[in-house]
Amino acid sequence: MRRFDFPDDVLQEIQRDRFMHPALLVRERMEILWHKAPGIRHGPIAELSCAVRSTVQRTLDLYTAGGRDGCAPLSSYLSFSDNV
């Protein structure tokens, strides 16, 4: 099983973005990361997050590859009006 490191500053961002990020997908991913931080296994994380296990795994893969920012690429979730 892989080990995940969640520094305090990243945990604060995850906690904030679980509820405050404008994109639902990012909020869902932050919820998964929030549950992973204390070391909960993938099955219970899926249940707690109302996600399937493959979504949990995919989110953790994104975190491994790019950290918190890899799970929340802002430019991908801005609407056209936000870019003007």
Side-chain angles (χ1 to χ4, degrees), residues 22-54:
L24 177 61
L25 177 60
V26 174
R27 291 194 306 266
E28 291 170 348
R29 288 176 176 172
M30 295 302 119
E31 184 74 16
I32 290 168
L33 294 177
W34 182 254
H35 292 303
K36 187 60 181 177
I40 298 174
R41 297 181 61 83
H42 296 181
I45 290 173
E47 290 178 25
L48 290 168
S49 303
C50 298
V52 295
R53 287 181 60 119
S54 61

mmCIF file of all heavy atoms in Angstrom, residues 22-54:
data_model
loop_
_atom_site.group_PDB
_atom_site.id
_atom_site.type_symbol
_atom_site.label_atom_id
_atom_site.label_comp_id
_atom_site.label_asym_id
_atom_site.label_seq_id
_atom_site.Cartn_x
_atom_site.Cartn_y
_atom_site.Cartn_z
ATOM 1 N N PRO A 22 -15.257 26.411 -6.278
ATOM 2 C CA PRO A 22 -16.420 26.586 -7.149
ATOM 3 C C PRO A 22 -16.774 25.354 -7.990
ATOM 4 O O PRO A 22 -17.920 25.218 -8.423
ATOM 5 C CB PRO A 22 -16.030 27.768 -8.048
ATOM 6 C CG PRO A 22 -14.557 27.878 -7.950
ATOM 7 C CD PRO A 22 -14.151 27.300 -6.629
ATOM 8 N N ALA A 23 -15.835 24.452 -8.208
ATOM 9 C CA ALA A 23 -16.096 23.280 -9.061
ATOM 10 C C ALA A 23 -16.445 22.063 -8.201
ATOM 11 O O ALA A 23 -15.680 21.685 -7.302
ATOM 12 C CB ALA A 23 -14.881 22.975 -9.918
ATOM 13 N N LEU A 24 -17.577 21.450 -8.484
ATOM 14 C CA LEU A 24 -18.026 20.276 -7.740
ATOM 15 C C LEU A 24 -17.012 19.137 -7.805
ATOM 16 O O LEU A 24 -16.732 18.488 -6.788
ATOM 17 C CB LEU A 24 -19.377 19.794 -8.276
ATOM 18 C CG LEU A 24 -19.947 18.525 -7.650
ATOM 19 C CD1 LEU A 24 -20.173 18.717 -6.152
ATOM 20 C CD2 LEU A 24 -21.223 18.118 -8.347
ATOM 21 N N LEU A 25 -16.423 18.911 -8.963
ATOM 22 C CA LEU A 25 -15.455 17.826 -9.110
ATOM 23 C C LEU A 25 -14.270 18.014 -8.165
ATOM 24 O O LEU A 25 -13.803 17.066 -7.527
ATOM 25 C CB LEU A 25 -14.962 17.739 -10.558
ATOM 26 C CG LEU A 25 -13.895 16.681 -10.840
ATOM 27 C CD1 LEU A 25 -14.422 15.287 -10.517
ATOM 28 C CD2 LEU A 25 -13.444 16.761 -12.285
ATOM 29 N N VAL A 26 -13.796 19.235 -8.050
ATOM 30 C CA VAL A 26 -12.671 19.516 -7.154
ATOM 31 C C VAL A 26 -13.098 19.311 -5.706
ATOM 32 O O VAL A 26 -12.351 18.733 -4.908
ATOM 33 C CB VAL A 26 -12.116 20.936 -7.380
ATOM 34 C CG1 VAL A 26 -11.057 21.281 -6.346
ATOM 35 C CG2 VAL A 26 -11.564 21.059 -8.795
ATOM 36 N N ARG A 27 -14.302 19.751 -5.338
ATOM 37 C CA ARG A 27 -14.799 19.526 -3.964
ATOM 38 C C ARG A 27 -14.855 18.041 -3.653
ATOM 39 O O ARG A 27 -14.480 17.605 -2.557
ATOM 40 C CB ARG A 27 -16.169 20.171 -3.773
ATOM 41 C CG ARG A 27 -16.127 21.686 -3.778
ATOM 42 C CD ARG A 27 -17.402 22.321 -3.261
ATOM 43 N NE ARG A 27 -18.609 21.878 -3.915
ATOM 44 C CZ ARG A 27 -19.190 22.478 -4.947
ATOM 45 N NH1 ARG A 27 -18.655 23.577 -5.454
ATOM 46 N NH2 ARG A 27 -20.291 22.007 -5.471
ATOM 47 N N GLU A 28 -15.301 17.237 -4.607
ATOM 48 C CA GLU A 28 -15.370 15.786 -4.397
ATOM 49 C C GLU A 28 -13.980 15.188 -4.228
ATOM 50 O O GLU A 28 -13.762 14.333 -3.369
ATOM 51 C CB GLU A 28 -16.103 15.127 -5.564
ATOM 52 C CG GLU A 28 -17.574 15.463 -5.607
ATOM 53 C CD GLU A 28 -18.261 15.016 -6.878
ATOM 54 O OE1 GLU A 28 -17.566 14.639 -7.855
ATOM 55 O OE2 GLU A 28 -19.506 15.055 -6.913
ATOM 56 N N ARG A 29 -13.033 15.639 -5.036
ATOM 57 C CA ARG A 29 -11.666 15.133 -4.916
ATOM 58 C C ARG A 29 -11.049 15.533 -3.573
ATOM 59 O O ARG A 29 -10.334 14.745 -2.948
ATOM 60 C CB ARG A 29 -10.809 15.667 -6.059
ATOM 61 C CG ARG A 29 -11.141 15.039 -7.386
ATOM 62 C CD ARG A 29 -10.339 15.668 -8.488
ATOM 63 N NE ARG A 29 -10.580 15.013 -9.762
ATOM 64 C CZ ARG A 29 -10.117 15.455 -10.917
ATOM 65 N NH1 ARG A 29 -9.355 16.539 -10.969
ATOM 66 N NH2 ARG A 29 -10.392 14.808 -12.033
ATOM 67 N N MET A 30 -11.316 16.743 -3.129
ATOM 68 C CA MET A 30 -10.775 17.187 -1.841
ATOM 69 C C MET A 30 -11.374 16.378 -0.687
ATOM 70 O O MET A 30 -10.693 16.093 0.299
ATOM 71 C CB MET A 30 -11.038 18.682 -1.625
ATOM 72 C CG MET A 30 -10.318 19.587 -2.606
ATOM 73 S SD MET A 30 -8.532 19.399 -2.622
ATOM 74 C CE MET A 30 -8.267 18.874 -4.307
ATOM 75 N N GLU A 31 -12.618 15.988 -0.825
ATOM 76 C CA GLU A 31 -13.255 15.134 0.183
ATOM 77 C C GLU A 31 -12.520 13.798 0.282
ATOM 78 O O GLU A 31 -12.250 13.295 1.380
ATOM 79 C CB GLU A 31 -14.727 14.912 -0.179
ATOM 80 C CG GLU A 31 -15.506 14.125 0.841
ATOM 81 C CD GLU A 31 -15.824 14.916 2.096
ATOM 82 O OE1 GLU A 31 -15.725 16.153 2.089
ATOM 83 O OE2 GLU A 31 -16.182 14.280 3.102
ATOM 84 N N ILE A 32 -12.170 13.232 -0.840
ATOM 85 C CA ILE A 32 -11.427 11.964 -0.859
ATOM 86 C C ILE A 32 -10.062 12.151 -0.204
ATOM 87 O O ILE A 32 -9.658 11.341 0.640
ATOM 88 C CB ILE A 32 -11.302 11.448 -2.312
ATOM 89 C CG1 ILE A 32 -12.677 10.977 -2.803
ATOM 90 C CG2 ILE A 32 -10.261 10.340 -2.418
ATOM 91 C CD1 ILE A 32 -12.758 10.711 -4.294
ATOM 92 N N LEU A 33 -9.363 13.217 -0.558
ATOM 93 C CA LEU A 33 -8.047 13.459 0.038
ATOM 94 C C LEU A 33 -8.157 13.695 1.541
ATOM 95 O O LEU A 33 -7.307 13.247 2.313
ATOM 96 C CB LEU A 33 -7.372 14.657 -0.637
ATOM 97 C CG LEU A 33 -6.996 14.484 -2.099
ATOM 98 C CD1 LEU A 33 -6.391 15.779 -2.649
ATOM 99 C CD2 LEU A 33 -6.059 13.306 -2.299
ATOM 100 N N TRP A 34 -9.209 14.379 1.950
ATOM 101 C CA TRP A 34 -9.412 14.651 3.380
ATOM 102 C C TRP A 34 -9.534 13.341 4.169
ATOM 103 O O TRP A 34 -8.974 13.202 5.252
ATOM 104 C CB TRP A 34 -10.661 15.506 3.566
ATOM 105 C CG TRP A 34 -10.911 15.858 4.994
ATOM 106 C CD1 TRP A 34 -11.872 15.339 5.813
ATOM 107 C CD2 TRP A 34 -10.199 16.812 5.773
ATOM 108 N NE1 TRP A 34 -11.787 15.906 7.041
ATOM 109 C CE2 TRP A 34 -10.765 16.823 7.059
ATOM 110 C CE3 TRP A 34 -9.114 17.659 5.514
ATOM 111 C CZ2 TRP A 34 -10.299 17.645 8.075
ATOM 112 C CZ3 TRP A 34 -8.661 18.466 6.530
ATOM 113 C CH2 TRP A 34 -9.245 18.459 7.789
ATOM 114 N N HIS A 35 -10.245 12.393 3.611
ATOM 115 C CA HIS A 35 -10.413 11.101 4.288
ATOM 116 C C HIS A 35 -9.151 10.246 4.208
ATOM 117 O O HIS A 35 -8.911 9.410 5.083
ATOM 118 C CB HIS A 35 -11.611 10.341 3.716
ATOM 119 C CG HIS A 35 -12.918 10.983 4.035
ATOM 120 N ND1 HIS A 35 -13.337 11.235 5.320
ATOM 121 C CD2 HIS A 35 -13.909 11.427 3.232
ATOM 122 C CE1 HIS A 35 -14.519 11.809 5.301
ATOM 123 N NE2 HIS A 35 -14.891 11.944 4.039
ATOM 124 N N LYS A 36 -8.335 10.447 3.177
ATOM 125 C CA LYS A 36 -7.110 9.674 3.046
ATOM 126 C C LYS A 36 -6.023 10.157 4.009
ATOM 127 O O LYS A 36 -5.175 9.367 4.449
ATOM 128 C CB LYS A 36 -6.596 9.722 1.596
ATOM 129 C CG LYS A 36 -5.422 8.796 1.343
ATOM 130 C CD LYS A 36 -5.799 7.341 1.633
ATOM 131 C CE LYS A 36 -4.639 6.399 1.425
ATOM 132 N NZ LYS A 36 -4.994 5.021 1.774
ATOM 133 N N ALA A 37 -6.045 11.421 4.358
ATOM 134 C CA ALA A 37 -4.999 12.003 5.204
ATOM 135 C C ALA A 37 -4.766 11.234 6.503
ATOM 136 O O ALA A 37 -3.618 11.002 6.868
ATOM 137 C CB ALA A 37 -5.306 13.474 5.480
ATOM 138 N N PRO A 38 -5.803 10.793 7.226
ATOM 139 C CA PRO A 38 -5.535 10.028 8.447
ATOM 140 C C PRO A 38 -5.234 8.553 8.184
ATOM 141 O O PRO A 38 -5.038 7.787 9.119
ATOM 142 C CB PRO A 38 -6.807 10.198 9.275
ATOM 143 C CG PRO A 38 -7.878 10.483 8.295
ATOM 144 C CD PRO A 38 -7.209 11.196 7.146
ATOM 145 N N GLY A 39 -5.220 8.140 6.921
ATOM 146 C CA GLY A 39 -4.837 6.769 6.589
ATOM 147 C C GLY A 39 -5.987 5.798 6.417
ATOM 148 O O GLY A 39 -5.791 4.589 6.465
ATOM 149 N N ILE A 40 -7.179 6.297 6.175
ATOM 150 C CA ILE A 40 -8.344 5.429 5.961
ATOM 151 C C ILE A 40 -8.137 4.655 4.661
ATOM 152 O O ILE A 40 -7.616 5.176 3.671
ATOM 153 C CB ILE A 40 -9.640 6.263 5.915
ATOM 154 C CG1 ILE A 40 -9.848 6.973 7.258
ATOM 155 C CG2 ILE A 40 -10.845 5.401 5.570
ATOM 156 C CD1 ILE A 40 -11.016 7.934 7.273
ATOM 157 N N ARG A 41 -8.575 3.412 4.634
ATOM 158 C CA ARG A 41 -8.429 2.557 3.448
ATOM 159 C C ARG A 41 -9.415 2.995 2.359
ATOM 160 O O ARG A 41 -10.388 3.686 2.620
ATOM 161 C CB ARG A 41 -8.628 1.102 3.835
ATOM 162 C CG ARG A 41 -7.549 0.646 4.836
ATOM 163 C CD ARG A 41 -7.699 -0.788 5.235
ATOM 164 N NE ARG A 41 -7.584 -1.724 4.136
ATOM 165 C CZ ARG A 41 -6.435 -2.175 3.633
ATOM 166 N NH1 ARG A 41 -5.299 -1.758 4.144
ATOM 167 N NH2 ARG A 41 -6.427 -3.045 2.642
ATOM 168 N N HIS A 42 -9.167 2.543 1.134
ATOM 169 C CA HIS A 42 -9.924 3.006 -0.027
ATOM 170 C C HIS A 42 -11.413 2.663 0.030
ATOM 171 O O HIS A 42 -12.249 3.476 -0.360
ATOM 172 C CB HIS A 42 -9.319 2.451 -1.310
ATOM 173 C CG HIS A 42 -7.930 2.943 -1.551
ATOM 174 N ND1 HIS A 42 -7.214 2.596 -2.649
ATOM 175 C CD2 HIS A 42 -7.118 3.754 -0.832
ATOM 176 C CE1 HIS A 42 -6.031 3.173 -2.614
ATOM 177 N NE2 HIS A 42 -5.945 3.874 -1.507
ATOM 178 N N GLY A 43 -11.757 1.484 0.482
ATOM 179 C CA GLY A 43 -13.172 1.094 0.554
ATOM 180 C C GLY A 43 -13.988 2.036 1.431
ATOM 181 O O GLY A 43 -15.014 2.578 0.987
ATOM 182 N N PRO A 44 -13.558 2.252 2.680
ATOM 183 C CA PRO A 44 -14.293 3.197 3.527
ATOM 184 C C PRO A 44 -14.285 4.635 3.007
ATOM 185 O O PRO A 44 -15.268 5.361 3.167
ATOM 186 C CB PRO A 44 -13.570 3.096 4.878
ATOM 187 C CG PRO A 44 -12.970 1.733 4.885
ATOM 188 C CD PRO A 44 -12.590 1.474 3.451
ATOM 189 N N ILE A 45 -13.180 5.036 2.353
ATOM 190 C CA ILE A 45 -13.153 6.386 1.770
ATOM 191 C C ILE A 45 -14.233 6.507 0.705
ATOM 192 O O ILE A 45 -14.938 7.511 0.632
ATOM 193 C CB ILE A 45 -11.772 6.710 1.162
ATOM 194 C CG1 ILE A 45 -10.731 6.875 2.258
ATOM 195 C CG2 ILE A 45 -11.838 7.978 0.301
ATOM 196 C CD1 ILE A 45 -9.318 7.031 1.745
ATOM 197 N N ALA A 46 -14.382 5.483 -0.119
ATOM 198 C CA ALA A 46 -15.414 5.498 -1.162
ATOM 199 C C ALA A 46 -16.796 5.657 -0.539
ATOM 200 O O ALA A 46 -17.608 6.454 -1.016
ATOM 201 C CB ALA A 46 -15.334 4.227 -2.001
ATOM 202 N N GLU A 47 -17.057 4.926 0.530
ATOM 203 C CA GLU A 47 -18.357 5.030 1.194
ATOM 204 C C GLU A 47 -18.559 6.413 1.808
ATOM 205 O O GLU A 47 -19.618 7.020 1.650
ATOM 206 C CB GLU A 47 -18.485 3.963 2.271
ATOM 207 C CG GLU A 47 -18.607 2.560 1.714
ATOM 208 C CD GLU A 47 -18.683 1.509 2.811
ATOM 209 O OE1 GLU A 47 -19.103 1.837 3.934
ATOM 210 O OE2 GLU A 47 -18.313 0.353 2.530
ATOM 211 N N LEU A 48 -17.552 6.909 2.519
ATOM 212 C CA LEU A 48 -17.662 8.216 3.163
ATOM 213 C C LEU A 48 -17.818 9.344 2.156
ATOM 214 O O LEU A 48 -18.498 10.335 2.420
ATOM 215 C CB LEU A 48 -16.424 8.477 4.029
ATOM 216 C CG LEU A 48 -16.290 7.649 5.293
ATOM 217 C CD1 LEU A 48 -14.889 7.799 5.878
ATOM 218 C CD2 LEU A 48 -17.340 8.065 6.311
ATOM 219 N N SER A 49 -17.199 9.189 1.001
ATOM 220 C CA SER A 49 -17.202 10.236 -0.024
ATOM 221 C C SER A 49 -18.315 10.059 -1.053
ATOM 222 O O SER A 49 -18.424 10.878 -1.968
ATOM 223 C CB SER A 49 -15.859 10.255 -0.758
ATOM 224 O OG SER A 49 -14.805 10.430 0.145
ATOM 225 N N CYS A 50 -19.084 8.983 -0.925
ATOM 226 C CA CYS A 50 -20.130 8.675 -1.906
ATOM 227 C C CYS A 50 -19.528 8.570 -3.311
ATOM 228 O O CYS A 50 -20.051 9.120 -4.283
ATOM 229 C CB CYS A 50 -21.252 9.698 -1.872
ATOM 230 S SG CYS A 50 -22.104 9.771 -0.302
ATOM 231 N N ALA A 51 -18.407 7.889 -3.394
ATOM 232 C CA ALA A 51 -17.712 7.692 -4.669
ATOM 233 C C ALA A 51 -17.442 6.198 -4.839
ATOM 234 O O ALA A 51 -17.583 5.430 -3.895
ATOM 235 C CB ALA A 51 -16.391 8.460 -4.674
ATOM 236 N N VAL A 52 -17.085 5.803 -6.027
ATOM 237 C CA VAL A 52 -16.695 4.414 -6.255
ATOM 238 C C VAL A 52 -15.192 4.291 -6.018
ATOM 239 O O VAL A 52 -14.456 5.279 -6.064
ATOM 240 C CB VAL A 52 -17.078 3.934 -7.672
ATOM 241 C CG1 VAL A 52 -18.584 3.906 -7.841
ATOM 242 C CG2 VAL A 52 -16.436 4.800 -8.739
ATOM 243 N N ARG A 53 -14.736 3.067 -5.775
ATOM 244 C CA ARG A 53 -13.319 2.848 -5.460
ATOM 245 C C ARG A 53 -12.390 3.319 -6.577
ATOM 246 O O ARG A 53 -11.301 3.818 -6.316
ATOM 247 C CB ARG A 53 -13.072 1.382 -5.146
ATOM 248 C CG ARG A 53 -13.617 0.961 -3.808
ATOM 249 C CD ARG A 53 -13.321 -0.495 -3.547
ATOM 250 N NE ARG A 53 -11.881 -0.721 -3.562
ATOM 251 C CZ ARG A 53 -11.185 -1.172 -2.524
ATOM 252 N NH1 ARG A 53 -11.792 -1.464 -1.407
ATOM 253 N NH2 ARG A 53 -9.889 -1.357 -2.633
ATOM 254 N N SER A 54 -12.829 3.158 -7.820
ATOM 255 C CA SER A 54 -11.963 3.594 -8.928
ATOM 256 C C SER A 54 -11.769 5.113 -8.915
ATOM 257 O O SER A 54 -10.693 5.609 -9.274
ATOM 258 C CB SER A 54 -12.521 3.131 -10.271
ATOM 259 O OG SER A 54 -13.802 3.672 -10.500
#
